[in-house]
Amino acid sequence: MNTDDKISKYLKDLPNWSSKITIKNLLQYTSGLPKVAWDTYFGKNERITDQKLNNDLLKLTELEFKPGSDYLYTNYSPILLGQIVAAVSRQPFPKYVKENLFKPFGLDNAQLLSEVPVLNRDLMAIPFDENLKEDAHKATITGVIFRLTAKDIYNWLTHLHAFNIISKESVQFLSEEADFWGNIQAPLGGVTWKNGIIKEHYHHGEAGNYECILKRFNNGKDVLTIIVQANQKRQNMFDISDEIKSILKF
């Protein structure tokens, strides 16, 4: 398996455009695939399912741009990457993640949920807006709804930076941004290396009113990890994490 492989090698049922997209394109969001039509489905109060997303891909006749020529963040990338992992490992993606990523690296409370709104409301914070209205998004999707505690994320980062999960070369590869201007992230977010050491690493994400940022700093002597999670999005994760770093004088 090579990151330059075309995804058609592993996903046989997709249209002809799959023979133009590489695994690397999916990782770097340079595939030319469009954004998932979340707003269209949610606007109609429809539940999004694996089948609906697959049908949308099967109906797709043209990509947004030639693969590798531009950047567009789309959730189709992790969805298809998960399907490739399932095809190669010959087991469901959630099972692979649990056995090979969660258990070995101490992500004791991590889960791959099957749907939102969550069924067990005691296990995680419920997202709501500034008017205290709960998110009404409905989805049943395989392998993309992760539930992680701050401790889970910390354990994951610690092992990732120690190159226990994947090799140093692989982490460096996943730190590479596509070579375009604009709001571009590497597969791992933003990673700064110096003399073979990760000096800074940040990653920000949001879904509905959920929002999270992680930052990890290594000054050569000490390591500082900051993880901020929220269930009411205020677009202030960077400000909060910067203030924490300032208070700690790191």
Side-chain angles (χ1 to χ4, degrees):
M1 185 175 181
N2 191 293
T3 54
D4 289 325
D5 288 344
K6 300 296 193 292
I7 65 174
S8 56
K9 180 178 179 179
Y10 306 98
L11 306 177
K12 305 295 186 181
D13 297 329
L14 294 175
N16 291 336
W17 45 257
S18 63
S19 64
K20 303 175 183 178
I21 297 173
T22 66
I23 294 174
K24 182 177 181 179
N25 291 144
L26 292 181
L27 288 167
Q28 294 190 330
Y29 299 100
T30 60
S31 66
L33 288 169
K35 289 181 175 293
V36 175
W38 302 114
D39 291 342
T40 299
Y41 286 113
F42 292 150
K44 297 177 181 178
N45 198 31
E46 286 189 39
R47 176 173 291 275
I48 298 180
T49 63
D50 289 326
Q51 188 61 55
K52 288 179 180 179
L53 295 182
N54 285 333
N55 288 343
D56 288 345
L57 283 176
L58 292 175
K59 294 175 185 176
L60 183 66
T61 57
E62 289 188 27
L63 299 173
E64 296 290 313
F65 50 81
K66 179 182 176 181
S69 68
D70 206 343
Y71 174 95
L72 177 63
Y73 185 92
T74 169
N75 295 107
Y76 280 126
S77 282
I79 289 171
L80 293 181
L81 286 168
Q83 291 179 12
I84 291 172
V85 170
V88 173
S89 65
R90 297 182 180 180
Q91 60 182 313
F93 181 67
K95 181 179 180 182
Y96 177 88
V97 169
K98 182 178 181 179
E99 293 181 354
N100 294 277
L101 300 178
F102 287 172
K103 286 184 177 180
F105 301 108
L107 279 67
D108 298 327
N109 296 296
Q111 292 184 349
L112 257 175
L113 302 177
S114 60
E115 62 184 277
V116 291
V118 294
L119 300 179
N120 190 333
R121 296 169 66 90
D122 296 329
L123 286 179
M124 61 190 295
I126 304 302
F128 59 93
D129 63 19
E130 59 184 7
N131 297 314
L132 304 182
K133 182 179 179 181
E134 187 176 321
D135 285 359
H137 304 153
K138 295 181 291 186
T140 303
I141 310 174
T142 303
V144 296
I145 308 172
F146 285 77
R147 185 190 78 89
L148 300 168
T149 65
K151 184 178 180 181
D152 291 329
I153 297 172
Y154 175 82
N155 288 342
W156 177 259
L157 279 175
T158 300
H159 284 291
L160 182 70
H161 283 222
F163 314 121
N164 295 331
I165 302 173
I166 54 177
S167 68
K168 182 177 182 179
E169 291 73 23
S170 294
V171 175
Q172 288 175 324
F173 172 75
L174 294 176
S175 302
E176 296 176 7
E177 297 178 356
D179 190 18
F180 307 110
W181 295 102
N183 182 24
I184 293 174
Q185 293 188 68
L188 289 178
V191 187
T192 302
W193 291 76
K194 185 177 181 180
N195 299 325
I197 297 174
I198 299 176
K199 304 298 292 184
E200 296 186 13
H201 181 190
Y202 78 87
H203 207 153
H204 171 266
E206 58 185 64
N209 270 291
Y210 286 124
E211 188 173 10
C212 176
I213 192 168
L214 61 87
K215 289 187 178 182
R216 189 174 176 90
F217 305 91
N218 184 342
N219 62 12
K221 180 182 178 182
D222 299 305
V223 174
L224 171 65
T225 303
I226 299 171
I227 300 164
V228 184
Q229 297 173 293
N231 59 328
Q232 186 187 55
K233 183 170 61 181
R234 293 177 177 267
Q235 300 288 359
N236 59 354
M237 293 285 102
F238 284 92
D239 293 337
I240 293 173
S241 56
D242 288 344
E243 185 65 20
I244 292 173
K245 183 172 183 287
S246 175
I247 291 171
L248 296 175
K249 302 184 186 303
F250 192 88

